[in-house]
Amino acid sequence: MKFALILFFGVVVCGAEFDKDLVMKFIQKIKKVSDECTAETHASPEDIKALLEHKIPESHEGKCMVFCFHKHFHIQNEDGSLNKAETIASLDPIKEHNREVYDKVVKVLETCADTAATDSDHCIYATNLADCAIREGKSMGLDELLVVE
């Protein structure tokens, strides 16, 4: 099965633009986190398929899969709040390889941090952030980079 990750701001990896070692390390982490989050949330194959298609899953378990990824990548804290400072700090490898992509991703992060609807349900908030990132990323030409397979 393929594994995908929709990150709220898009930890972007594009083989043609980034160091192959960076790409391989990121893909290995994605696979590990995917296994852990699938087990934790009980997300269905339909939920995974939705993520692969750049869509927000309909089920609550699928939405919690997004939150699980956000926790693993320190985008959201355990309490569901946005961890903006650590998220930006985690983008340093991207900044080193492609400053233009980095700047766009930070802009998406800032926009979504300000505009995504908050929710007391951490899973719903996570998907609101992801939905915003998909929309904003596409508008900035990052749509090919928002999902890693």
Side-chain angles (χ1 to χ4, degrees):
M1 176 187 280
K2 291 170 151 184
F3 294 97
L5 167 64
I6 296 178
L7 292 175
F8 141 55
F9 64 93
V11 171
V12 294
V13 175
C14 179
E17 296 182 29
F18 294 97
D19 178 70
K20 290 186 188 296
D21 187 47
L22 175 68
V23 173
M24 292 309 298
K25 286 179 182 176
F26 186 71
I27 289 172
Q28 288 171 349
K29 174 130 181 161
I30 294 291
K31 288 180 179 179
K32 181 179 184 272
V33 170
S34 293
D35 290 341
E36 291 173 12
C37 288
T38 300
E40 178 182 320
T41 65
H42 306 290
S44 70
E46 292 80 22
D47 296 325
I48 304 300
K49 182 179 181 206
L51 292 171
L52 287 167
E53 294 173 350
H54 305 207
K55 297 177 184 172
I56 302 300
E58 291 185 25
S59 76
H60 193 262
E61 293 82 4
K63 291 174 182 178
C64 288
M65 180 88 166
V66 176
F67 177 55
C68 184
F69 270 110
H70 286 187
K71 288 187 301 184
H72 277 277
F73 285 93
H74 308 288
I75 296 164
Q76 283 179 272
N77 298 310
E78 193 69 39
D79 68 1
S81 62
L82 180 63
N83 189 345
K84 189 174 172 183
E86 193 166 339
T87 301
I88 291 173
S90 73
L91 296 173
D92 283 345
I94 295 170
K95 182 168 48 174
E96 293 173 19
H97 291 280
N98 189 318
R99 182 61 190 230
E100 180 183 352
V101 169
Y102 170 84
D103 290 342
K104 287 180 179 182
V105 172
V106 169
K107 176 71 173 156
V108 169
L109 169 67
E110 291 172 349
T111 299
C112 293
D114 292 340
T115 64
T118 58
D119 196 289
S120 61
D121 183 325
H122 309 326
C123 301
I124 301 297
Y125 182 47
T127 57
N128 290 344
L129 291 168
D131 189 47
C132 178
I134 292 167
R135 190 175 53 256
E136 292 298 318
K138 283 181 181 178
S139 75
M140 298 188 79
L142 295 175
D143 53 316
E144 294 298 316
L145 302 175
L146 287 175
V147 175
V148 176
E149 297 181 78

